[in-house]
């Protein structure tokens, strides 16, 4: 679930600087832009809690990947009359040939986006989300600032490592200020760009992980890629786990492993070998919504079942 915050049209009423700018990837993305949406999520989250689960939300900005159609309909850039807008980015560099050239963000716009992350986090808290994850990976806005591949700025938000990570840390700081200390804050990071000459590296990730821990992030969600089109990624079961293991070994940051983790025994081995503190599943749960029950059965554990499902025990 991704909440639209930065660049939304609510801001247009307060400032002309971000007029017609969209932070959503597609017009169909969920958001936390107003109190009406907060109340809608509050009802959903009350139900989730009553069923024994913990609601969480991912907050992000699409950056130069924003204002496109639904992926299953081709994901092409959308004109304003189709619900799209002008994408923004650290530098005026399109993600790939044929995609829109984004507008380069001004410093004032960057600061506004940081505040909007805080606004979205504040609404997430009011809506009953127990966990918030800041999406800093997969070629979206925060990732675009991190990588010298997509960030060619020469001001305080570009150039060396400290400048390129400044925006990410400012977002984390403002979101952390909103979140009570007992409410977890996660950060999704691109561990590598596989590799791109001059791109974000595993060494960069280790360095940023330590900084994120110092700034109050509770867990690092270790993904890879997404900012360099055509990157050659050696996709295989557990292919991203070594990055999580390295960060866990070299920093105090707790980490979660992701990516082609499909079998209960596979995920249990990752935890037993101390390669990660948690495993996160996405697409596998779409393929198998009862994965947790299968894992409990195969590994000899138990999982909570909502009352209407008691007969499935």
């Amino acid at each position: 679930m991704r909440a639209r915050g930065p660049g939304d049209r609510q801001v247009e009423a307060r400032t002309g600087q971000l007029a017609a700018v969209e932070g959503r990837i597609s017009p169909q993305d969920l958001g936390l832009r107003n109190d009406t949406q907060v109340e809608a999520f509050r009802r959903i989250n009350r139900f989730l809690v009553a069923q024994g689960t913990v609601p969480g939300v991912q907050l992000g900005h699409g950056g130069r990947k924003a204002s496109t159609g639904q992926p299953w309909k081709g994901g092409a850039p959308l004109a304003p009359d189709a619900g799209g807008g002008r994408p923004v980015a650290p530098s005026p560099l399109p993600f790939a040939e044929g995609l829109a050239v984004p507008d380069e963000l001004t410093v004032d716009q960057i600061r506004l986006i940081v505040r909007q992350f805080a606004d979205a986090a504040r609404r997430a808290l009011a809506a009953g989300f127990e966990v918030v994850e800041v999406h800093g990976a997969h070629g979206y806005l925060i990732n675009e600032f991190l990588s010298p591949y997509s960030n060619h700025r020469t001001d305080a938000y570009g150039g060396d490592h400290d400048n390129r990570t400044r925006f990410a840390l400012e977002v984390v700081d403002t979101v952390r200020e909103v979140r009570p200390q007992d409410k977890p804050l996660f950060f999704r990071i691109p561990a590598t760009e596989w590799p791109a000459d001059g791109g974000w590296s595993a060494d960069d990730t280790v360095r940023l992980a330590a900084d994120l821990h110092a700034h109050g992030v509770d867990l690092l969600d270790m993904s890879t890629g997404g900012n360099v089109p055509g990157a050659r990624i050696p996709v295989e079961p557990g292919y991203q786990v070594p990055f999580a293991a390295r960060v866990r070994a070299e920093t105090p940051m707790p980490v979660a492993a992701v990516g082609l983790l499909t079998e209960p025994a596979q995920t249990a081995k990752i935890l037993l070998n101390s390669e990660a503190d948690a495993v996160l599943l996405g697409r596998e749960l779409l393929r198998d919504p009862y994965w947790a029950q299968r894992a409990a059965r195969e590994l000899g554990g138990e999982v909570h079942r909502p009352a209407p499902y008691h007969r499935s025990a």
Side-chain angles (χ1 to χ4, degrees):
M1 190 178 295
R2 182 172 296 106
R4 173 197 177 206
D8 70 56
R9 289 193 172 92
Q10 182 183 4
V11 174
E12 295 167 18
R14 289 187 278 142
T15 174
Q17 295 184 60
L18 290 182
V21 171
E22 272 293 350
R24 297 180 301 177
I25 299 173
S26 78
Q28 289 74 32
D29 281 11
L30 292 173
L32 281 168
R33 302 183 297 280
N34 53 57
D35 292 340
T36 300
Q37 291 168 325
V38 169
E39 182 53 37
F41 278 120
R42 187 181 288 129
R43 294 195 301 272
I44 294 170
N45 288 337
R46 280 197 298 261
F47 174 79
L48 293 175
V49 170
Q51 307 311 309
T53 193
V54 178
V57 67
Q58 190 179 75
L59 305 179
H61 187 296
R64 63 183 183 175
K65 286 186 169 183
S67 296
T68 62
Q70 295 157 297
W72 53 91
K73 294 183 179 179
L78 294 180
D81 60 0
R86 184 80 176 178
V88 296
S91 302
L93 304 169
F95 171 66
E97 186 177 350
L99 297 183
V101 177
D103 292 334
E104 182 174 300
L105 286 163
T106 68
V107 171
D108 285 343
Q109 289 173 325
I110 292 171
R111 291 171 179 165
L112 176 59
I113 289 173
V114 171
R115 293 198 302 272
Q116 290 178 301
F117 267 97
D119 291 342
R122 192 174 293 108
R123 295 187 187 107
L125 184 65
F129 287 106
E130 293 293 322
V131 180
V132 161
E133 178 174 88
V134 173
H135 198 327
H138 298 167
Y140 301 127
L141 186 62
I142 294 176
N143 188 173
E144 292 163 20
F145 271 94
L146 295 177
S147 173
Y149 182 86
S150 48
N151 183 348
H152 293 185
R153 301 178 72 94
T154 58
D155 61 6
Y157 290 93
D160 63 19
H161 178 94
D162 289 341
N163 280 357
R164 286 183 284 106
T165 60
R166 186 184 307 277
F167 176 63
L169 294 176
E170 287 180 351
V171 169
V172 164
D173 285 344
T174 194
V175 171
R176 183 75 271 180
E177 287 177 6
V178 173
R179 303 285 297 167
Q181 288 303 308
D182 62 342
K183 302 292 186 183
L185 174 61
F186 296 176
F187 187 95
R188 174 157 260 203
I189 195 169
T192 182
E193 293 187 317
W194 287 111
D197 292 340
W200 184 261
S201 70
D203 290 340
D204 292 320
T205 293
V206 170
R207 184 174 171 184
L208 179 57
D211 290 338
L212 289 169
H213 185 265
H215 283 250
V217 170
D218 297 297
L219 182 134
L220 203 60
D221 175 356
M222 299 286 296
S223 191
T224 65
N227 193 46
V228 180
R232 303 186 68 172
I233 302 176
V235 177
E236 61 183 9
Y239 69 104
Q240 297 177 141
V241 175
F243 298 102
R246 180 181 172 188
V247 169
R248 191 178 191 276
E250 297 183 21
T251 78
M253 173 68 81
V255 298
V258 304
L260 273 184
L261 306 180
T262 60
E263 297 302 319
Q266 173 197 24
T267 60
K269 183 179 178 181
I270 291 168
L271 300 177
L272 290 172
N273 289 346
S274 299
E275 295 175 283
D277 300 280
V279 293
L280 302 179
L281 305 182
R283 297 174 190 178
E284 184 60 22
L285 294 180
L286 296 176
R287 289 186 285 265
D288 180 4
Y290 299 100
W291 189 93
Q293 292 191 29
R294 177 163 67 90
R297 187 168 60 249
E298 293 181 13
L299 300 175
E302 294 183 1
V303 294
H304 171 79
R305 288 177 173 84
Y309 288 79
H310 72 279
R311 292 184 178 179
S312 69

